[in-house]
Amino acid sequence: MPSWYIAAGIAGLTVMTVLTRGFFVISERELELPPWAMHGLRYAPIAALVAVISPEILLTDGALIATWQDARIYAVLVGTAYFWWRRGIFGMIVTGTAVLLALKIGLGW
Amino acid sequence: MVPPSLGMAAWALVTGVAMVKSGLSVWTATAMTVLVYAGSAQLAALPLIVAGAPLAVLLVAAFCVNLRFVIYGAHWRRYFGHLPRWHRLWLMYFAVDLNYVLFVRRFPEPRPQPEQLPYFWGGAVWNWASWQGASLLGIVIADRVPTQWGLGFAGVLALLGVTYSLLSDRKTWIAAGVAACAAVAAFSLPLKLNIVAAIAAGVAIGLLLDRSFPGAAPERA
């Protein structure tokens, strides 16, 4: 990771923060988005999140996980079970990470 | 205000840990948390930065993850639209999810009132301080934890939780499923374009479903 790349990435992400939070207040006039864009706003965040995390969860070096001895599988299963049981993101992170660490440190997965 | 901030502080801690465990130095991670100040966009950016994705792909992904703020902004404008532009933008930089939820609950009537600015800043400063404090703590802790523990994956779990909380009806489930398949199937595309392809596929199928089955209209906006 060259340092110019990281610096440019952080600067760009900062601009994205300002741009999205300020989107509707930048203009002096009232903005009207077309209806399809408002509809699209509903799906874009979930599509982006899934796009980023699904390869992180399902792939190893570009191929689907081919072994059962992968701590990520159990961390995700336990975290998911917790989320749908209690509807809590915080508890999900804690339980999932606990399973991850137990398997990584305990079994070296 | 205090209990929800605690939950957010835990989230900040995970973000701090994940940044360092993805390979950012302590100082770059600190710069990122202080400047970007958007946890889910930061977490989503990390795997892309590690893979050396082009900046454009990084920015598209961050923009989409941040789109909920655009929706909040349409609402914020009714309270702060009368202020000068730079003042508005300055306020909005600090307007994170929790501020928005609490502010709208405190002032359900969308029109300017004198006590809104002090209320806004009280929450914004408290949030900023607890977020940054916890995030810095995470950065320092992560620097002392061995990399083979794989703690960076806690950031992925956090984003997975946000994803689950966004699954409101069958259409969002389908859009998410399509995006997941596209991201994995197109993984070998160069320049991390699988991310862009997956976002496009997810949004396209969502719009298509909305048009074909207009039953459930988007509840927000």
Side-chain angles (χ1 to χ4, degrees):
Chain A
M1 286 185 274
S3 53
W4 68 264
Y5 173 73
I6 306 257
I10 291 175
L13 291 174
T14 308
V15 171
M16 286 302 127
T17 297
V18 175
L19 188 68
T20 50
R21 291 196 187 141
F23 190 85
F24 272 106
V25 305
I26 292 170
S27 157
E28 293 294 351
R29 289 181 303 119
E30 198 80 45
L31 279 178
E32 279 290 337
L33 284 188
W36 65 265
M38 292 309 278
H39 275 266
L41 283 179
R42 190 161 110 91
Y43 296 105
I46 195 164
L49 288 171
V50 170
V52 170
I53 60 177
S54 55
E56 295 296 314
I57 294 172
L58 299 171
L59 304 182
T60 307
D61 296 326
L64 282 174
I65 297 180
T67 169
W68 289 108
Q69 300 184 354
D70 191 314
R72 289 176 297 169
I73 303 172
Y74 307 96
V76 166
L77 286 179
V78 170
T80 298
Y82 184 93
F83 180 88
W84 294 110
W85 177 46
R86 282 291 160 94
R87 292 264 162 187
I89 297 179
F90 179 56
M92 168 176 174
I93 299 172
V94 172
T95 53
T97 307
V99 169
L100 183 88
L101 290 180
L103 294 176
K104 285 248 181 204
I105 300 170
L107 299 173
W109 285 6
Chain B
M1 188 82 209
V2 174
S5 279
L6 279 181
M8 217 184 60
W11 173 263
L13 191 80
V14 169
T15 308
V17 169
M19 283 190 294
V20 173
K21 283 300 152 215
S22 302
L24 297 191
S25 72
V26 167
W27 295 113
T28 9
T30 304
M32 191 188 235
T33 190
V34 171
L35 292 172
V36 180
Y37 189 41
S40 26
Q42 283 166 244
L43 288 176
L46 290 176
L48 302 179
I49 290 178
V50 171
L55 288 173
V57 173
L58 189 68
L59 298 187
V60 166
F63 182 79
C64 288
V65 170
N66 274 344
L67 272 176
R68 64 187 191 282
F69 294 126
V70 172
I71 299 169
Y72 304 163
H75 206 170
W76 280 119
R77 191 184 172 99
R78 301 179 184 204
Y79 298 94
F80 296 131
H82 61 289
L83 298 172
R85 176 186 285 160
W86 287 110
H87 194 174
R88 297 197 299 257
L89 274 175
W90 180 238
L91 290 174
M92 286 304 98
Y93 175 72
F94 293 96
V96 296
D97 302 83
L98 190 54
N99 297 114
Y100 172 73
V101 173
L102 294 177
F103 188 95
V104 172
R105 198 167 62 189
R106 169 75 176 75
F107 301 101
E109 198 69 19
R111 56 184 164 76
Q113 283 167 247
E115 61 268 40
Q116 284 169 351
L117 268 183
Y119 182 88
F120 180 91
W121 280 118
V125 169
W126 170 252
N127 253 325
W128 192 88
S130 48
W131 174 272
Q132 301 296 4
S135 186
L136 292 175
L137 181 66
I139 290 171
V140 172
I141 292 174
D143 203 33
R144 288 150 195 230
V145 165
T147 304
Q148 14 347 338
W149 289 12
L151 256 194
F153 196 70
V156 174
L157 287 171
L159 289 187
L160 185 62
V162 178
T163 305
Y164 289 155
S165 67
L166 290 175
L167 291 167
S168 53
D169 60 8
R170 199 168 294 169
K171 291 177 195 171
T172 48
W173 275 94
I174 296 172
V178 167
C181 292
V184 170
F187 189 75
S188 55
L189 281 181
L191 309 176
K192 280 275 158 191
L193 284 174
N194 66 319
I195 304 293
V196 181
I199 295 172
V203 173
I205 199 77
L207 291 175
L208 203 67
L209 288 170
D210 274 345
R211 179 162 298 186
S212 313
F213 309 96
E219 64 274 31
R220 290 182 294 189

